[in-house]
Amino acid sequence: MLFSRILGGAAVMVAGLSTPTLADTWDMPTPYPDATFHTVNIHEFAKDVAAATDGELDIKVHSAGSLFKHAEISKAVRSGQVPAGEFFMGLLTNDNPAFGIDALPFLATNYDDAEKLWEAQEEVITELLDAQGLMPLYAVPWPPQGLYTTKEITSVDDLAGLKFRTYNATLEEFASLAGAAPTQVEVPDIPQAFSTGRVEAMITSPSTGANSKAWDFLTHYTDIQAWIPKNVVVVNKRTFQRLDEDAQAAVLEAAAAAETRGWEMSKAETDAKVAILKENGITIVQPSDALMDGLREIGAEMLVNWKDKAGDTGAALLEAYEN
């Protein structure tokens, strides 16, 4: 399951061919606020690296898009502007559809299935990122995604015409198929976007809803459990190879711990954050059969479209997951 288990041995071998140089500080951008469990986990990862290297490698976390905006982070790591960073894996769907398979509606909607999907997806993702000069360190899922709205939604028809928050190509396709109006909005801008009427609906995790204080600008959370997408933490491959063997091992060990810890944090997060939404006045709704039937129809159509785009690689990935 862990990137580091797969790559650890190879990475150390590569390090032996390079000049050992230990960086003093790695600037690491992440798009999410400090309260988000992904960012909490990254801070723990940074502490583990510092402890294992006796402070010789310091990872400075820049949260909430303060150093680079979300869409810029992968490019910044690729170009060497920063050594490492975190981003939502589905943002790279335009590079290759394999990056977005975990955001396909109703393909994997519980953690057991999400883990199986990751096991099928991981090797493909590793190769795709390697071609971009990136090395994945670990990946952590969000809780199952729910529907947030300013009114009750009982069928897909109720989404027609609503301004729908999106953040990647997959969600844009979903919104369009639902008859909604896709509107690009990043996490830090969610409260203002709803408050000004720029958006009226979104699908996101209980974490993002609670951390954004969704009760200030919307009324309903429908627990559709649409998909379980992942964030990935990557390092510039050349930067990693310049570390000495001990530092490489420290980073990989901390990454393995972060992935294990992150999956458990995600599971605990789901019930806790839904409870916070309810405590603050959000109406928690179990979806109607009519709504779920309509959403699953959209999901089935999106899967067909994804297969057409993903080609042989996608077919093999999907077969590995289903079998």
Side-chain angles (χ1 to χ4, degrees):
M1 177 178 171
L2 301 176
F3 275 130
S4 48
R5 288 177 187 164
I6 295 174
L7 296 175
V12 171
M13 288 175 63
V14 172
L17 301 176
S18 61
T19 302
T21 303
L22 186 61
D24 293 325
T25 301
W26 281 7
D27 287 309
M28 183 176 177
T30 175
Y32 307 102
D34 287 317
T36 303
F37 79 94
H38 283 284
T39 313
V40 172
N41 192 31
I42 284 176
H43 280 292
E44 290 300 314
F45 166 69
K47 289 178 184 177
D48 287 348
V49 170
T53 61
D54 294 325
E56 293 182 327
L57 179 54
D58 177 38
I59 298 177
K60 184 177 181 181
V61 180
H62 300 266
S63 59
S66 57
L67 188 60
F68 288 97
K69 296 297 184 183
H70 196 170
E72 300 169 349
I73 291 175
S74 65
K75 300 179 183 68
V77 181
R78 189 187 314 167
S79 65
Q81 292 175 272
V82 289
E86 178 205 29
F87 54 87
F88 185 79
M89 196 180 303
L91 285 181
L92 300 186
T93 298
N94 286 337
D95 293 348
N96 191 290
F99 285 110
I101 191 173
D102 57 7
L104 289 174
F106 309 107
L107 179 64
T109 60
N110 60 68
Y111 283 101
D112 286 343
D113 286 347
E115 186 169 344
K116 292 175 185 176
L117 182 58
W118 180 223
E119 289 172 355
Q121 183 188 23
E122 182 178 16
E123 184 177 351
V124 175
I125 296 301
T126 301
E127 292 176 358
L128 291 172
L129 290 175
D130 182 77
Q132 297 184 11
L134 300 175
M135 176 178 164
L137 293 177
Y138 67 89
V140 170
W142 288 94
Q145 306 287 285
L147 175 64
Y148 294 80
T149 53
T150 56
K151 63 179 183 179
E152 186 173 357
I153 302 296
T154 60
S155 72
V156 169
D157 291 342
D158 293 336
L159 296 173
L162 293 184
K163 289 171 277 188
F164 200 98
R165 180 240 172 177
T166 63
Y167 49 81
N168 63 13
T170 302
L171 257 179
E172 288 176 8
E173 181 183 7
F174 176 89
S176 297
L177 290 173
T183 305
Q184 181 82 17
V185 175
E186 293 297 342
V187 169
D189 302 323
I190 287 174
Q192 183 180 18
F194 271 93
S195 298
T196 59
R198 186 180 167 201
V199 292
E200 303 166 285
M202 66 178 175
I203 291 179
T204 194
S205 70
S207 307
T208 299
N211 293 339
S212 300
K213 297 183 177 180
W215 48 87
D216 288 339
F217 49 82
L218 51 80
T219 56
H220 287 73
Y221 172 82
T222 306
D223 189 20
I224 60 173
Q225 298 187 28
W227 56 81
I228 301 179
K230 295 182 292 292
N231 286 357
V232 63
V233 171
V234 301
V235 62
N236 181 284
K237 191 166 61 173
R238 289 185 178 180
T239 300
F240 182 82
Q241 291 171 356
R242 286 197 294 268
L243 297 176
D244 64 34
E245 291 185 9
D246 289 342
Q248 285 192 23
V251 171
L252 292 175
E253 184 176 353
E259 180 160 298
T260 299
R261 180 175 59 238
W263 279 73
E264 292 306 313
M265 291 173 74
S266 180
K267 294 173 185 177
E269 183 88 352
T270 303
D271 292 340
K273 290 304 171 72
V274 170
I276 289 174
L277 294 174
K278 185 176 182 178
E279 289 168 6
N280 284 276
I282 294 288
T283 300
I284 308 299
V285 181
Q286 292 304 309
S288 68
D289 290 341
L291 176 59
M292 291 306 298
D293 288 345
L295 291 175
R296 289 192 180 101
E297 286 180 9
I298 292 174
E301 185 173 352
M302 290 180 66
L303 180 57
V304 170
N305 295 340
W306 183 88
K307 288 178 180 177
D308 289 341
K309 296 174 184 175
D312 292 342
T313 298
L317 197 165
L318 196 58
E319 182 180 3
Y321 167 62
E322 292 175 340
N323 295 332

